[in-house]
């Protein structure tokens, strides 16, 4: 309050001493700047409006519905948040007040405890000294050397103690003082009485000291318990204040976000509804309005610019300096009156008045009026002035305490807001890195998925081709085996036929072994019954047995070749089938593995895309919250910078005022 008044006074003096035309020029320049800023804002609004005109209002109805829902709910949320903020600030203020009270109680208790401890130490030292002197006196009397004791410092201290001791009977005091003064130092019938008195005093002093020690120990225990209790209370209140300050900082950011959101939503809702009402007409009207506004604004800027130029002309400035009055300020002249004390008090009060701010001057003015009035020299008026001083001192102390609490609040909020800002900046950076990684992962996985899909497609094609080839090879094997078997049967049948003629015995043996074979080729074994013996015409027929043997041997070679070919064909068929089955198993395993890998890659890609979407949203929300936090910090600067900047100045000024008022009280109190 004081520094604000000082700054305001300095500003007023500066503006008063300066040429007033400068203020006019500054106002015109501010108007010019404001017009230009309004032009920039309206240009952005116009461009946005024309964009709507071009793109149409297909999504406008949805936007209006969502905006209406938000506008209907946000005010209640803002009100609830503001009420909570007010409650938090009240709680913080109350907590600070309670903590200050607890700290004052601790300080007061410590001062009382130190005073009690000093008093106890003094009492104990005196008691110890007196008991030592008493003990020495008793010992000296019992030994019969009382005269020597009376010459010691201890005897003098004991005599002083007895003379000042209130609870000693006058008769006893007279006897003891007389003894210690040397009137009855020898071993006489009165010595035992004196020893008894001294022992009784010693017992009393020990009892009093014992009670004092117990009282001191009890006071220490009470003090320790109070300090522990108040210390816990201060710690709990500090923790509560810190937590509520943190909540207040976060809530302040939320309120700013909600208010900005509500303001933007309401403004946008109005524009959207107006725009949707008559899109085509609005577009044409808006273009015409924009042209008119642009022309008017240009004329206004021209007028302002020319006016500034006129007022800033050197000749005009010189003329203004000669003709326009300059401001000045002066202090109220106070009339001095009689009375030394009153004059001294007036001097102190005037000094305080000169260094105080305008908010405190009325109180000091009352003091001056009271001291300069007709009844100023009366004691009753002095008492009234002293009470006024007390009230002003209490007010100044309370204002200083309010400044202390506000400064603590501001510093705490700055720390919390700065920590939150740094945390949000890190979160934004983390989200940015996560987005980059997600995009890179999606690109890599897309290439790997394409490669796997191409590999699976090529593998399926190879399997189909191998299966077709295997079918063809198997069919060739079957055809070969059928042909070779048929050829063997024919060769065997031919061989049997030759043997039947040229070697009947062998033919009969083979006939029993190969009945089945002949049954299969029965169509070739229909022979007519042998005719009866021919008439004798020539000699017996000579069979070509040797030649038939060669033919049969050749047939056996052919049959063996067929058997060999069939054996080789079976081996090739078996190997081919095994190779095919192995290839099919490996292909199936490969396809299963590739399909599993493909599924994994697709899942990973989906996760990466989800992460990209989530991190993009996180980045958006983080930036929004960061913006609100920066706005909150700006509001804190507006609320706190001035106080923090002038805190020491204000504190020093208040201290000076309080000191001046206290001194004035002391001066006035000296009139008693």
């Amino acid at each position: 309050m004081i520094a604000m008044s000082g700054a305001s006074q300095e500003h007023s003096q500066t503006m008063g001493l300066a040429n007033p035309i400068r203020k006019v020029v500054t106002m015109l320049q501010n108007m010019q700047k404001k017009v230009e800023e309004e032009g920039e804002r309206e240009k952005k609004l116009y461009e946005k409006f024309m964009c709507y005109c071009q793109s149409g209002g297909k999504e406008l109805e949805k936007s209006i519905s969502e905006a209406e829902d938000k506008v209907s709910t946000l005010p209640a949320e803002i009100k609830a948040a503001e009420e909570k903020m007010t409650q938090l600030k009240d709680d913080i203020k109350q907590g600070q007040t309670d903590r200050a009270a607890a700290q004052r109680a601790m300080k007061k208790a410590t001062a009382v405890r130190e005073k009690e401890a000093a008093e106890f130490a003094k009492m104990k030292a005196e008691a110890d000294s007196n008991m030592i002197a008493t003990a020495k006196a008793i010992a000296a009397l019992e030994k019969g050397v009382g005269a020597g004791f009376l010459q010691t410092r201890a005897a003098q201290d004991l005599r002083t103690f007895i003379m000042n001791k209130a609870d000693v009977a006058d008769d006893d005091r007279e006897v003891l003082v007389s003894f210690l003064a040397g009137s009855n130092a020898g071993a006489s019938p009165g010595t035992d009485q004196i020893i008894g008195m001294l022992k009784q005093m010693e017992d009393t002093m020990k009892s009093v000291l014992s009670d004092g020690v117990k009282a001191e120990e009890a006071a220490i225990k009470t003090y320790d318990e109070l300090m522990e209790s108040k210390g816990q209370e201060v710690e709990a209140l500090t923790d509560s204040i810190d937590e509520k300050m943190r909540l207040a900082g976060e809530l302040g950011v939320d309120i700013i976000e909600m208010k900005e959101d509500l303001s933007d939503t309401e403004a946008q809702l109005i524009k959207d509804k107006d725009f949707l009402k008559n899109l085509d007409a609005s577009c044409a009207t808006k273009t015409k309005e924009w042209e008119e506004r642009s022309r008017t604004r240009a004329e206004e800027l021209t007028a302002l610019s020319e006016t500034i130029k006129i007022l800033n002309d050197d000749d005009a400035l010189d003329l203004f300096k000669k003709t326009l009055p300059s401001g000045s300020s002066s202090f109220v002249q106070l009339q001095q009156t009689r009375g030394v004390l009153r004059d001294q008090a007036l001097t102190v009060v005037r000094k305080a008045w000169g260094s105080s701010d305008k908010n405190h001057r009325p109180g000091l003015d009352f003091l001056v009026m009271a001291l300069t009035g007709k009844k100023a020299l009366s004691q009753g008026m002095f008492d009234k002035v002293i009470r006024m001083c007390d009230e002003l001192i209490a007010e100044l102390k309370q204002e200083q305490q309010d400044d202390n609490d506000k400064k603590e609040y501001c510093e705490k909020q700055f720390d919390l807001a700065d920590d939150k800002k740094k945390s949000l900046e890190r979160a934004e950076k983390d989200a940015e890195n996560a987005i980059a990684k997600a995009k890179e992962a999606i690109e890599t996985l897309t290439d790997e998925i394409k490669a796997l899909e191409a590999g699976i497609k090529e593998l399926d094609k190879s399997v189909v081709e191998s299966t077709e080839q295997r079918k063809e090879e198997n069919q060739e094997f079957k055809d070969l085996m059928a042909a070779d078997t048929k050829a063997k049967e024919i060769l065997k049948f031919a061989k049997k036929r030759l043997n039947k003629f040229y070697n009947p015995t062998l033919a009969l043996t083979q006939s029993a072994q190969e009945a089945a074979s002949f049954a299969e080729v029965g169509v070739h074994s229909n022979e007519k019954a042998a005719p009866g013996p021919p008439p004798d015409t020539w000699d017996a027929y000579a069979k070509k047995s040797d030649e038939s043997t060669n033919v049969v041997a050749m047939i056996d070679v052919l049959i063996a070749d067929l058997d060999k070919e069939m054996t080789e064909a079976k081996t090739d068929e078996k190997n081919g089938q095994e190779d095919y089955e192995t290839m099919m198993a490996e292909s199936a395993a490969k396809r299963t593995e590739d399909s599993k890998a493909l599924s994994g890659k697709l899942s990973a890609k989906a996760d990466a895309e989800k992460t990209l979407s989530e991190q993009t949203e996180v980045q958006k929300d983080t930036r929004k919250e960061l913006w609100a936090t920066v706005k909150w910090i700006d509001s804190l600067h507006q609320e706190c910078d001035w106080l923090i900047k002038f805190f020491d100045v204000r504190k020093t000024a208040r201290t000076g005022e309080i000191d001046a008022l206290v001194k004035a009280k002391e001066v006035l109190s000296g009139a008693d």
Side-chain angles (χ1 to χ4, degrees), residues 2-71:
I2 294 171
M4 180 185 292
S5 176
S8 177
Q9 180 181 355
E10 181 182 354
H11 177 71
S12 297
Q13 291 174 350
T14 302
M15 291 301 297
L17 293 173
N19 193 324
I21 202 63
R22 293 298 184 188
K23 185 174 182 180
V24 176
V25 172
T26 301
M27 294 172 65
L28 290 172
Q29 290 173 339
N30 291 336
M31 290 173 60
Q32 187 180 36
K33 183 178 179 182
K34 185 176 181 181
V35 171
E36 291 174 348
E37 291 174 351
E38 288 177 353
E40 290 297 326
R41 288 197 301 269
E42 291 182 2
K43 181 179 180 182
K44 292 179 180 178
L45 293 174
Y46 172 72
E47 291 174 350
K48 184 177 181 181
F49 190 88
M50 295 310 296
C51 180
Y52 270 114
C53 289
Q54 295 173 2
S55 61
K58 293 183 179 179
E59 298 181 359
L60 206 55
E61 292 181 354
K62 180 181 178 182
S63 175
I64 290 174
S65 176
E66 293 175 351
E68 288 175 342
D69 293 339
K70 183 179 290 187
V71 168

Side-chain angles (χ1 to χ4, degrees), residues 150-198:
L150 295 176
Q151 305 301 320
T152 63
R153 176 68 180 174
Q156 297 177 14
D157 293 340
L158 182 60
R159 180 172 176 272
T160 302
F161 168 68
I162 293 172
M163 290 178 65
N164 296 327
K165 186 169 174 61
D167 56 350
V168 178
D170 293 337
D171 295 339
D172 293 342
R173 180 183 287 107
E174 184 177 352
V175 172
L176 291 171
V177 170
S178 177
F179 161 72
L180 293 171
S183 302
N184 189 18
S188 63
T191 301
D192 293 337
Q193 180 184 359
I194 292 172
I195 292 174
M197 291 180 182
L198 292 175

Side-chain angles (χ1 to χ4, degrees), residues 491 550-564:
L491 290 172
N550 293 332
V551 172
V552 170
M554 182 62 70
I555 291 174
D556 288 338
V557 170
L558 293 175
I559 291 173
D561 289 341
L562 289 172
D563 287 337
K564 181 179 179 181

Side-chain angles (χ1 to χ4, degrees), residues 333-490:
Q333 301 301 318
L334 302 177
Q335 182 182 2
Q336 295 184 349
T337 62
R338 64 185 181 276
V340 175
L341 294 178
R342 183 188 63 179
D343 291 345
Q344 292 177 354
L346 276 173
T347 301
V348 174
V349 171
R350 284 172 176 166
K351 182 177 180 182
W353 182 90
S355 61
S356 68
D357 63 27
K358 293 181 179 179
N359 292 322
H360 290 148
R361 285 185 180 177
L364 295 176
D365 287 341
F366 291 147
L367 292 179
V368 173
M369 291 174 63
L371 290 172
T372 57
K374 294 181 179 180
K375 298 180 180 180
L377 296 179
S378 65
Q379 183 57 43
M381 181 57 68
F382 278 14
D383 292 338
K384 181 179 179 181
V385 171
I386 290 173
R387 287 196 299 272
M388 294 171 66
C389 289
D390 289 335
E391 293 173 356
L392 284 174
I393 290 171
E395 181 182 352
L396 288 168
K397 288 183 177 180
Q398 183 59 47
E399 288 183 358
Q400 184 59 45
Q401 183 61 44
D402 292 342
D403 273 9
N404 293 340
D405 295 341
K406 185 67 173 181
K407 182 171 180 285
E408 179 188 15
Y409 167 81
C410 289
E411 290 174 345
K412 190 69 176 179
Q413 289 301 318
F414 275 127
D415 289 340
L416 293 172
D418 187 58
D419 291 342
K420 184 172 184 179
K421 179 185 176 185
K422 292 178 180 178
S423 176
L424 290 171
E425 288 173 345
R426 288 194 297 270
E428 183 184 15
K429 186 65 177 178
D430 292 341
E432 184 179 345
N433 294 335
I435 290 172
K437 289 181 180 179
K439 289 181 177 179
E440 182 180 357
I442 291 172
E443 184 178 354
T444 301
L445 288 169
T446 300
D447 295 338
E448 292 176 351
I449 289 171
K450 289 181 179 179
L452 283 172
E453 289 176 341
I456 291 173
K457 184 176 181 180
E458 186 65 27
L459 181 63
D460 291 343
K461 181 180 179 182
S462 299
V463 169
V464 171
E465 292 176 350
S466 297
T467 300
E468 291 298 325
Q469 181 179 349
R470 178 85 280 276
K471 288 180 180 180
E472 292 176 359
E473 291 175 350
N474 180 259
Q475 188 61 43
E476 290 177 357
F477 166 73
K478 290 178 180 179
D479 293 344
L480 175 65
M481 292 299 292
D484 286 357
T485 300
K486 190 68 175 178
K488 281 178 62 180
E489 290 174 353
I490 293 173

Side-chain angles (χ1 to χ4, degrees), residues 233-303:
E233 181 181 354
V234 169
E235 183 178 356
L237 286 170
T238 300
D239 293 340
S240 176
I241 290 169
D242 291 343
E243 176 64 18
K244 288 176 180 177
M245 282 185 174
R246 182 187 66 80
L247 294 175
E250 295 178 353
L251 188 59
V253 174
D254 294 340
I255 290 173
I256 290 176
E257 287 182 339
M258 288 189 290
K259 285 184 176 180
E260 291 289 340
D261 193 10
L262 177 61
S263 177
D264 294 342
T265 303
E266 288 175 339
Q268 189 60 44
L269 179 60
I270 294 173
K271 295 171 187 174
D272 289 348
K273 286 183 176 180
D274 291 341
F275 181 80
L276 189 62
K277 186 177 180 180
N278 193 345
L279 186 61
D280 294 335
S282 296
C283 292
T285 303
K286 190 62 66 175
T287 299
K288 188 179 296 183
E289 289 177 355
W290 169 248
E291 292 174 352
E292 179 63 23
R293 292 175 71 87
S294 298
R295 183 184 62 77
T296 304
R297 184 175 292 107
E299 292 175 354
E300 183 176 5
L301 288 172
T302 300

